[in-house]
Amino acid sequence: MSAVDYPVDEDEQTLLERIQDEPGPALKLLAVVVPLFAVEFGAVASLVMSLPWSAVGSALPGFLQGLAGALAGVGDALANLPTLLSRSVIDNSGYQLPSGEWVGTTLGLSPAVAWLLRVLLVYAYGFAWMAVGWWVYLVYRDNYRYADWAPVDDMVNRFRNHSWGLLGLAIIFAFVVLALFAPALGPTTVEANISDPYLHTVEYFDEEAGSVQEIYVGDANRDSQSRGQGGDNVGPLSYDQFGRFHPFGTLPSGKDLFTFMAAGARVSLFIGVLSLLIAGGIAVTFALATAYYKGLVDLGVVIASDSIQSLPQLLFIMLASFVLSGTWLANLYSGGVVLALLFGFTGWPGLWRAVRGPALQVSEREWIDAAKSFGQRPSVTMRKHMLPYVVGYLLIYASLTLGGVIIGVAGLSFLGLGINAPTPEWGRAVSAGQPYVPTQSWHISLIPGIMVVIVVTGFNALGDGIRDAIDPQSDVGTGQQDESAAAGGGA
Amino acid sequence: MSRWSYFARRVLLMIPIVFFGTTITFLVLRMGPMDPAAAVIAGAGDTEAYESVRQSLGLDQPLWLQYVEYLRDLFTLQLGYSWVVNRGRPVWELIGVYAPRTIWLGFWAVMLPLFIGLPLGFYAGLNPNTLSDYLASFGGIVWRAMPNFWLAVILVSVLTQSDQLFGFDWESWLVQTQIVTPPELQRLWVPSNFLAAFKAILPAALVLGSASMGNEMRIGRTAVLETVNENYVETARAKGVPRRTIISKHVFRNALIPLVPIITGEAFLLLGGSVLVETVFSINGLGYLFYSATINADLPLVGSLMFFFILLSVGINILQDLLYTLIDPRVGYGGEGA
């Protein structure tokens, strides 16, 4: 940080110094954040320990390996700490005796109630973090920020009064919690119910034998199938004959649909966020560069982006994922990484088109001219003086694009492409339930579809809200970008 | 810059775009990890067949020469032959068979939203903040968020069971048609043939156009709301021009301008989206042909089809610019409009 770049910074305190001057509010905040984090610390630790550390460890030189081994031991111990939101805190797996009493579940509650309590607890925890996030912003704004007022404050205030946008935010937050806490939310787990049903067992009370029996989950699934008219059916909010509760019913294979959906939400969110990071990164870099340099650079990016857009996105992704199907890349995260890369590299032109206008606008301002004549490096000018203006617009289209990517991925897996079975993906559930829509097993196709509609509507609403918050007078919304962003290549 | 030289510049820009788009396809097909010849003979394990496929695809030549020949063939519109899906048939012939169905589907998928979504949007815009406005707007938002393939699945099931569900049989209504078959497109000028073809495509077109319908409604509503408050509308009203004339002459006409890029943009999206709708409704169109060519590893056919799609999309872009040039003389053609 040279003095040339920041001549006014010399008398400015750093954030840390400002907190040291007035530690009260920050300490209060800390007093809430630490316990909130501590109850889930074990989950974070086990997430850290689930990374492939052994590969790192063996690459270390000899004298460090002992140290690494000790660290790994500590890490494993931490990972095994009990956490608030683990499945065992409120256990919903058990069996029912003929007397109606439930054995094995927490406090002898029925599995439905136990599951519901756990869901409520997880969501309460999630929304507590959201409230803390809002509080952090308030504390920072009122106590520690250098400026009394920033344009962001007005945007936040406008967004707070935008009920449609807030609804969108709530839906998206609920979706993100579903994805993040998928293993704790499902009535059972993906491993036990979907991927390795013959490595797990379930206990139930057999009326004929008059005793408690143990059965493989795979065998139990065969008796809890949903196969429409005349066949078996386990609908939403019902029990199968093994005392297992299915909030969304079961798939035609007898697997639990809610567990499938929660895990599928994780896959969708992962692909959406990763592809957006790629597309957004490229789009912003290009938008800033083209707005700053204009001329030939601009023309070059126009041609590059138009060339990519001339390929029908969904068909191109279909082709590219087929061509890449035999490679190591296609096995990462069951094919999710490939899809994210493809959606990212084919999606940036849309985002770039959307932020190009605002970037050009800001590049015409006097302060950019001033920064140039001042001798500031172009990269610094772009980052400090242009980027903040562009980021808001990027958020609008990012929100719309995420909805589009979710639809696109679901469409591809509906066709049996993209995510490899048995990794859950929403589109595959729609496809599995296709023959049963008009029958009593309607839930298999309808519930995933309705979830997609709700989530995508949420992303669209959030985008609308951000747009109105950033620029209430603008009509940038009535454009082509919007709709192609939200359409997911027409899936 | 005059309007027409702007238009000419846009058309010129399309040349490098076709070129680069084709190059990307070449990179994926020939330099990607998959050997097109091996994909074609898939599993046969016959080295002789493999060599002959390699030779006729020109894979034994150096890469740069392959690239030159690939471009030369496509730019002279020699699209080659299908290798797996329909062995030995020229790609042009396949396009001739499959394209009319997609065009018929796409045409109605553009027209239906125009005739349903737009009037609804205009109506909502003329009666803002009423119950019907809210209903229409909310419906549009939800309609827009529905995945096409899901909507198609639901619609197919509902229509095939319409007798049990509503006591009304869709298949025999007006004319006898089937739901999951390609439409008959022979002799469309005969009214009964036209009606049958229209009825056969109607569900699929409604699904494919669903996103557009929601969009056009939303945008039509905003456009009307904005135009109604313009000064020239106020002036006309002050002069005592009847409301009906104001709406038809001053409001609607200007509200249509922002819709041009929307409609052409949709036409392009339909191309990609048609693959799912065509699969669910078993309409053997271009999207379905591309899909089956891909999963059957008919890479030469895939490459040619992709080139055809690039040409189509560039054509749609030129059409959009042409419409813009004709309709709206006010569009700025300054330096930034590239």
Side-chain angles (χ1 to χ4, degrees), chain A residues 189-200 221 255 422-424:
Chain A
T189 59
V190 174
E191 294 76 36
N193 193 259
I194 292 170
S195 56
D196 306 314
Y198 282 99
L199 295 180
H200 295 81
N221 283 347
K255 295 169 179 175
T423 302

Side-chain angles (χ1 to χ4, degrees), chain A residues 111-123:
Chain A
V113 174
W115 171 79
L116 192 67
L117 276 180
R118 197 166 68 225
V119 170
L120 288 178
L121 184 66
V122 169
Y123 272 95

Side-chain angles (χ1 to χ4, degrees), chain A residues 78-95:
Chain A
L78 289 178
N80 290 330
L81 283 178
T83 62
L84 175 67
L85 302 177
S86 73
R87 309 181 54 80
S88 55
V89 171
I90 304 178
D91 197 348
N92 66 324
S93 59
Y95 51 89

Side-chain angles (χ1 to χ4, degrees), chain A residues 41-225:
Chain A
F41 181 70
V44 178
S46 73
L47 184 74
V48 173
M49 290 315 293
S50 69
L51 298 175
W53 286 117
S54 54
V56 180
S58 55
L60 287 175
F63 68 96
L64 276 179
Q65 276 196 1
L67 191 68
L71 267 178
V74 175
D76 284 335
L78 289 178
N80 290 330
L81 283 178
T83 62
L84 175 67
L85 302 177
S86 73
R87 309 181 54 80
S88 55
V89 171
I90 304 178
D91 197 348
N92 66 324
S93 59
Y95 51 89
Q96 191 174 27
L97 298 173
S99 60
E101 192 190 341
W102 285 95
V103 180
T105 58
T106 302
L107 300 174
L109 293 166
S110 74
V113 174
W115 171 79
L116 192 67
L117 276 180
R118 197 166 68 225
V119 170
L120 288 178
L121 184 66
V122 169
Y123 272 95
Y125 183 78
F127 277 94
W129 269 112
M130 195 178 185
V132 165
W134 173 242
W135 190 23
V136 168
Y137 165 76
L138 286 185
V139 166
Y140 171 70
R141 186 186 73 181
D142 297 341
N143 298 303
Y144 300 118
R145 194 169 64 191
Y146 196 67
D148 289 334
W149 177 87
V152 168
D153 296 354
D154 283 0
M155 292 176 198
V156 170
N157 284 338
R158 274 196 294 265
F159 188 80
R160 279 185 69 194
N161 296 320
H162 196 284
S163 44
W164 178 236
L166 286 178
L167 175 72
L169 184 66
I171 293 174
I172 298 318
F173 194 77
F175 171 67
V176 172
V177 169
L178 177 68
L180 285 182
F181 293 97
L185 279 174
T188 171
T189 59
V190 174
E191 294 76 36
N193 193 259
I194 292 170
S195 56
D196 306 314
Y198 282 99
L199 295 180
H200 295 81
T201 55
V202 59
E203 281 184 332
Y204 73 105
F205 186 82
D206 193 334
E207 307 247 321
E208 279 168 36
S211 64
V212 175
Q213 305 276 328
E214 203 171 4
I215 184 172
Y216 281 118
V217 174
D219 292 329
N221 283 347
R222 213 174 316 135
D223 287 331
S224 63
Q225 297 174 338

